[in-house]
Every structure is written in C-alpha cells, then in structure tokens.
Amino acid sequence: LFTSHEMDGARLLHGTAWIVETKNTIAFENELTEESEEKSLWLAPMRLALLSQNAVGTIDQSMHSVLNAKYSVLRLLGLCNKVLILDEIHAYDTYMSQIIGRMLQWCKALKIPVIMLSATLPSEKKKQFISCCGGSTCDKTNDGYPLITTVFANGDVDEIRILEPPHIRRNFILKIAEYKDDFEKIAQLANDSISGGGCLCLLMNSVNSAQKAYSSLKEIVSDDTLLMLFHARFSAEVRQNLENNAVKLFGKNNIEERPQKAILVCTQVMEQSLDVDFDAMITELAPIDLLFQRMGRVFRFDLSSRPESHKQPIITVLVGKNGDADYENDPIYAPLYQVRTLHLLKGKEKIDIPADIRSFTEEVYRKEAGDEEKIELWARNQFDDLGNKAEAEACLWGKPYENQVFFTERTDSFSFVEEPQPFHRVARTRLDDDSQRMAFITQCEANIIRNSENICFDKKFAQSILLRSFSLRTNGMGEPPNGSYIDGKGLLRGVRLLITENACFTWNNYRIIYDSELGIIKERGDD
C-alpha cells in the first residue's frame, strides 16, 4: 500500500513482526558484549520500530508510549512527526480506554494529529476521548450517522454528518436459538443451514467452544462440505496460513471460485479487519457493538450467485437455555452489556444496518440503570469500571503540562517493566489479558539455549521457534514445574519455552497439547 503511493516502506509492529520483515530490520546477528547489552535492549525491534517513517501494528505498541516503564519514551519519540490512526476504537475496555486517553493528552501536547475510526462508538466514550484531546464537551453529540467529529487545537469541536447514502445497507433477519453449550444441536443447526448450499460462519466466543463445535460438526457434515477451524490458539505460522486461506476462499478476489458449501468455525479473530463474506452467520451472544461487527461479515459483497436459501442475510444468535444471557458461564464480556443486548434483541425480527447502529449502541451502553435490569448488575459494572480506571492510572505517565513536555504529577523513578520479571510490576496495556506467548522446544534445543548465552540472538534459530509459538491464557495455572521451561531472551524475549518431545506439556494440573487440526488444547487434569 505504501509503495503503491510512492511512500517509504512501512514497519510492521507486533511481537513477532521481525520474522516477516525483509528490510529495515535491526541486525542482531553480531554477538553481544556486556557493553552492548543495554544498547540492544533499547534498540529491540518493537521499541525502535515506531521511529520508522511509516508503521502499521497493534494499538498496544502506541499505548506503551505513555506507560511508566523504562523504554516508553522511545516509543513516544517515535510518534512525533506522524499522524496516528487508531482503528476500531470502540473495541477497547475501560482499562485500555484510560491508557488511550492519556496517550491522546500527550499527542495534543506534542501536536501529533490523531484519527480515530469506529462504526459503533458509544457517545459516552466519544465524549471521554474528545475531552482528552482538549475539546469542549457537550451534553449531547450529533445524532447523525455516519459522522465526522473534529477537535481543533483551540478546543473547538465540529461535527459533520455524511449526507451521502451509506455504501452498505442491509436488513438482517434475526433469530434467537437457545442452544448455548449444546454443541451437538449447534452443529446440527449449522449443518442444516447450508443443506441447500452456501457459506456459513459459526462464530464462538472462546477457543474451547470453537474446538468443541468443530469436532461435533466433523461428525455430521457431508463430504461435499468444506469445514474449517480458525482461532488464535494455533501456532503463528499455521494461524497466518489459515487467515490467508480464509481470505482466499471468502474474500472479494475469489467470488467466481467460492465454495458451494462451507462452514468456517471461528472466534473473534474473524470479527474485525478481515475482508470476507458469508451467506449467513450463527454467533454466540456478544455486546451489541460487537454483534454489529460480526454482521458486517454477512452479505458484505454484492453477490448475485447466492443460493436460493440465502437470498436474505440471516443472523442466528445463540443464547443460554431458557433464553437468558448465561453471563455467569461466559466471562469474556461484561455481564451488564450481555443482558442489555439480549433484552434489546428479544422480540425483534429484523435489524437494519446502518439505521439501527446508533440507537442500539446508545441503549446498551447508557450510563443509567434501566428498569428491566437488576440494580446489583449495574452497580457491579460501575464498580469494575472505577477499579479498572484506577488500575490503569497507577502505571501511566502523568499528564503533560499545557505548553511544555514534562510531568505535572508522579515524577518519581521508573518502577514498571514491559515483561514479567521477579520483584517488578508489569506495565500492561490489557488488564485482563493473562495470555502468555509460548512455544514447545525439544530437549536438544533447550541444551543449545542453555549452553550459549547469545544463541537467542541468532535470527534463524529464533525464527524457527517463533513460527511455532502460540498464545495461551494462564490464569489459575500457577508456574510450571522448575526445570521444565526456559524464559526466552533476545529475539525470544517474552516467550516461555516449554521443553517437551511429544507436543504435550504438563503444567501442574493442566495439560497443553498441540493438535494439528484443532490447534492448542488446554485440558485440566480432572477433565
């Protein structure tokens, strides 16, 4: 994209981006000396990448620029003289939004232009971001949709409604199915929905649920049905191949060779960013803004070749038995927003996109408690929000002075670190993210690493390990047994290396198993 516009190449910013970069990559092949070790830490790929003229990556890399940690000033320097573009800004929770707000304050002080994009941003969160940018807030924002809001340097706020008809307009048929956690029924529902042909997306809220739904489907689908599984718990190399294959099969460049019958079982990895199209979707309940994002993958393209049974877009939402939100067994999303979303959807037969986006989003994310909900659920959500804001504030830089770059508060020494270390607190960009990047290594590889202090800076060796790395939530698992793992250094910094010969690792009362078809499986010993 950058080269097609005759711009300098872009750096890719995420934890393993250096694997796929072919130029502008920091050379780590020279052996490290004691004198150069500190320099190498400052010039690690992710810390230096923001200094490139153009960069594309996860929002975490820019959020690190305002965390009270050792190398954050380098990232803040990298943001200067750039335009910062933040996509899908609605998708971040209270903790992350607090960090993003502080980043906006520093961007204002350093005169860094910021463009924030969202299709489903609630007005309360929008007001928060406007305030952080120095804008004068008002009690009510423009009800237009789509809308462009501009905050000027002097604090003025201008809102412009886009008058042209929206590019995409859809009337979705809405169905509610009380099948949650009944994977045999879910599989049968999915299989029946494409009996006459078509491409279906079955979107589950967790990897475990996606794996179980896929396994149930595998037992009943016919040979002429393409069945795929895509989630975040595959190795880095396999996940990239799965993503490329999904875009190839269901993207706009393959319309003529689109599968006649296909079911893609997936998690939230399909929810945003991927430009794919399905004839129908079955999805677990999620907050309304995320449901809108999921709907955006149905009838995304104007296809004339859809099967007769899929001439209208159908969204089936899976809810708990007895038609409740079942939020106690689905801790991924805030219970209040799950309950409000289900209450909003009940009784509705159709959803109009984009006409319903603004009103539905505001209804679910309103600050006030509603008559139809339990007051304790609302109170718990308010308490959690306040706690998350305080947790984020504790690891942030102070606010900048109005016209000079310096702190107005907390000028003590740095006390946080980027990666887990003994006796240090970690400056996290995501509060509830207990995910740990890890990889299986053999005993032979472990011996090589232990016997050579600098081997982790050999790019080919590190690349071979990182390509088979994966992320796994480790909450409640404790620490693995002593001697059974190695904490990576150098290019493997932040990766926990699990020593095993058979792709199965015992972690206290858990087993971590690599399955070539299902991805990484996490099992409790008593399951």
Side-chain angles (χ1 to χ4, degrees):
L1 177 62
F2 285 91
T3 54
S4 65
H5 289 276
E6 299 183 354
M7 299 170 63
D8 289 346
R11 289 296 303 272
L12 187 61
L13 269 67
H14 57 73
T16 58
W18 63 270
I19 296 178
V20 297
E21 289 192 326
T22 57
K23 59 183 179 178
N24 299 327
T25 304
I26 305 304
F28 276 84
E29 286 138 0
N30 297 330
E31 287 191 359
L32 294 176
T33 64
E34 184 176 350
E35 293 78 12
S36 65
E37 185 171 0
E38 180 66 16
K39 177 182 177 181
S40 72
L41 293 176
W42 277 91
L43 300 182
M46 284 302 96
R47 295 172 187 138
L48 194 64
L50 272 175
L51 294 176
S52 302
Q53 183 177 359
N54 306 301
V56 180
T58 61
I59 195 171
D60 305 74
Q61 300 305 324
S62 58
M63 291 168 63
H64 271 294
S65 66
V66 293
L67 295 183
N68 192 21
K70 187 172 185 179
Y71 306 103
S72 57
V73 66
L74 191 63
R75 287 190 169 98
L76 190 61
L77 177 64
L79 289 178
C80 294
N81 297 320
K82 289 184 175 68
V83 177
L84 179 61
I85 302 176
L86 305 177
D87 196 10
E88 309 289 4
I89 198 65
H90 62 273
Y92 306 114
D93 60 18
T94 303
Y95 178 86
M96 294 182 69
S97 295
Q98 192 74 3
I99 299 175
I100 294 170
R102 183 58 47 82
M103 181 172 65
L104 293 176
Q105 292 170 337
W106 276 92
C107 286
K108 179 181 183 298
L110 297 173
K111 296 180 172 56
I112 301 171
V114 181
I115 299 174
M116 308 174 76
L117 306 173
S118 173
T120 55
L121 185 66
S123 60
E124 286 300 322
K125 185 171 285 190
K126 176 181 174 180
K127 291 175 184 177
Q128 173 193 347
F129 291 145
I130 289 175
S131 177
C132 291
C133 293
S136 56
T137 58
C138 54
D139 294 334
K140 185 177 181 180
T141 59
N142 193 310
D143 290 331
Y145 188 94
L147 191 69
I148 298 177
T149 303
T150 305
V151 181
F152 296 94
N154 62 0
D156 290 346
V157 178
D158 187 23
E159 295 187 316
I160 303 175
R161 180 175 182 176
I162 306 302
L163 298 179
E164 293 184 7
H167 176 65
I168 296 178
R169 297 201 65 169
R170 298 284 184 267
N171 283 308
F172 290 91
I173 296 175
L174 176 67
K175 297 183 179 181
I176 304 292
E178 300 177 7
Y179 290 172
K180 183 176 173 63
D181 294 335
D182 192 333
F183 297 102
E184 291 184 2
K185 284 188 176 181
I186 293 173
Q188 193 62 57
L189 178 66
N191 194 44
D192 290 345
S193 69
I194 60 162
S195 58
C199 298
L200 171 77
C201 178
L202 174 56
L203 202 157
M204 311 299 290
N205 287 346
S206 70
V207 174
N208 289 343
S209 294
Q211 290 172 331
K212 291 176 182 178
Y214 175 85
S215 297
S216 297
L217 270 165
K218 191 178 177 183
E219 298 293 325
I220 63 173
V221 296
S222 56
D223 294 338
D224 63 345
T225 300
L226 173 65
L227 180 62
M228 294 176 57
L229 177 64
F230 179 37
H231 55 70
R233 213 190 285 168
F234 284 98
S235 68
E237 184 175 30
V238 172
R239 176 177 173 177
Q240 186 60 57
N241 291 336
L242 287 170
E243 180 177 316
N244 293 341
N245 196 29
V247 173
K248 179 181 178 181
L249 290 170
F250 308 111
K252 64 171 60 177
N253 295 325
N254 192 48
I255 294 175
E256 298 301 324
E257 300 178 12
R258 188 178 174 91
Q260 295 298 311
K261 293 177 67 175
I263 300 176
L264 175 67
V265 184
C266 60
T267 57
Q268 295 92 326
V269 294
M270 189 60 64
E271 191 173 284
Q272 303 179 75
S273 301
L274 293 187
D275 195 16
V276 291
D277 172 287
F278 297 95
D279 300 311
M281 175 177 285
I282 300 173
T283 172
E284 285 194 277
L285 179 67
I288 190 63
D289 54 329
L290 301 183
L291 284 182
F292 283 141
Q293 292 289 333
R294 297 177 185 187
M295 291 179 190
R297 271 66 198 166
V298 180
F299 275 52
R300 188 175 183 86
F301 311 138
D302 291 324
L303 304 182
S304 58
S305 57
R306 298 191 191 275
E308 284 297 322
S309 57
H310 294 290
K311 292 301 182 182
Q312 290 182 291
I314 300 176
I315 302 293
T316 302
V317 179
L318 303 174
V319 301
K321 296 177 180 178
N322 303 317
D324 58 34
D326 196 25
Y327 56 83
E328 295 294 349
N329 295 320
D330 188 4
I332 296 176
Y333 301 114
L336 178 66
Y337 303 137
Q338 290 283 71
V339 170
R340 285 181 173 178
T341 297
L342 182 55
H343 179 82
L344 183 66
L345 295 180
K346 281 185 175 180
K348 286 186 169 53
E349 298 180 351
K350 291 186 178 181
I351 296 180
D352 186 6
I353 302 294
D356 290 333
I357 290 180
R358 173 59 60 84
S359 60
F360 281 25
T361 302
E362 297 302 334
E363 175 63 21
V364 169
Y365 286 96
R366 67 185 188 275
K367 292 182 64 176
E368 301 78 13
D371 296 334
E372 76 284 353
E373 59 200 26
K374 296 180 179 179
I375 191 65
E376 59 265 25
L377 198 61
W378 174 84
R380 189 170 90 183
N381 188 77
Q382 297 295 305
F383 180 81
D384 289 344
D385 276 354
L386 290 173
N388 291 342
K389 287 180 180 179
E391 189 79 17
E393 190 68 30
C395 65
L396 284 173
W397 279 20
K399 299 176 183 178
Y401 280 125
E402 181 64 27
N403 294 312
Q404 53 185 308
V405 181
F406 207 79
F407 297 124
T408 58
E409 52 189 68
R410 274 204 313 275
T411 57
D412 54 345
S413 60
F414 294 108
S415 57
F416 289 79
V417 293
E418 289 186 356
E419 290 112 12
Q421 295 180 21
F423 312 112
H424 288 80
R425 292 187 65 185
V426 179
R428 297 185 178 186
T429 56
R430 300 170 189 259
L431 180 61
D432 296 325
D433 187 5
D434 297 315
S435 296
Q436 169 79 53
R437 179 153 290 277
M438 53 190 73
F440 291 146
I441 62 171
T442 64
Q443 186 62 59
C444 179
E445 290 171 324
N447 293 338
I448 293 174
I449 294 172
R450 285 169 171 159
N451 294 333
S452 178
E453 295 181 0
N454 302 320
I455 191 63
C456 290
F457 290 89
D458 181 280
K459 293 180 66 174
K460 290 184 179 180
F461 182 85
Q463 182 180 27
S464 68
I465 293 177
L466 277 174
L467 284 175
R468 58 180 190 262
S469 67
F470 55 91
S471 292
L472 187 69
R473 293 180 68 90
T474 58
N475 52 311
M477 295 176 62
E479 288 292 310
N482 289 332
S484 66
Y485 69 97
I486 300 174
D487 284 328
K489 298 180 180 180
L491 288 177
L492 296 177
R493 180 178 296 274
V495 182
R496 179 156 286 183
L497 309 174
L498 309 180
I499 305 171
T500 177
E501 300 292 336
N502 57 3
C504 178
F505 183 83
T506 300
W507 186 318
N508 298 328
N509 196 37
Y510 291 84
R511 288 196 308 160
I512 304 173
I513 305 167
Y514 176 72
D515 184 284
S516 59
E517 188 173 12
L518 297 178
I520 298 297
I521 301 172
K522 184 172 75 170
E523 293 182 346
R524 286 183 61 92
D526 52 2
D527 285 349

